[in-house]
Amino acid sequence: MRPTYLILGLLTLSIVLGIFMSRDPEHAARMSQMYREVAFTGETRQLVLTFLALGIGGFIVYMTMTRR
């Protein structure tokens, strides 16, 4: 079996399961609550974005300096 078909099959399965689970109002409410509780807020969000920007910038500088 080719990896492409396997990936497409798993993607299709996850989409079908997502549609099926989102139809259940209780599950949708629990997922919505979970997303609200897990989200970064205020200063934490700024800190995470700053670290991501520094990390990506550092990686770009590293790749630029070590390019042959």
Side-chain angles (χ1 to χ4, degrees):
M1 180 178 237
R2 296 177 70 182
T4 305
Y5 294 130
L6 183 63
I7 292 170
L8 284 175
L10 289 173
L11 186 62
T12 303
L13 179 65
S14 80
I15 290 171
V16 169
L17 285 175
I19 291 171
F20 179 73
M21 295 304 280
S22 67
R23 292 183 130 189
D24 179 19
E26 292 178 10
H27 182 73
R30 285 194 310 264
M31 290 298 287
S32 178
Q33 179 67 28
M34 189 244 340
Y35 289 142
R36 280 193 297 268
E37 290 174 356
V38 177
F40 290 124
T41 57
E43 187 176 328
T44 307
R45 178 182 293 163
Q46 291 290 48
L47 199 59
V48 168
L49 288 175
T50 302
F51 284 139
L52 278 173
L54 289 173
I56 292 170
F59 181 71
I60 291 171
V61 168
Y62 169 75
M63 293 302 288
T64 303
M65 296 303 224
T66 60
R67 189 173 143 206
R68 296 174 190 196

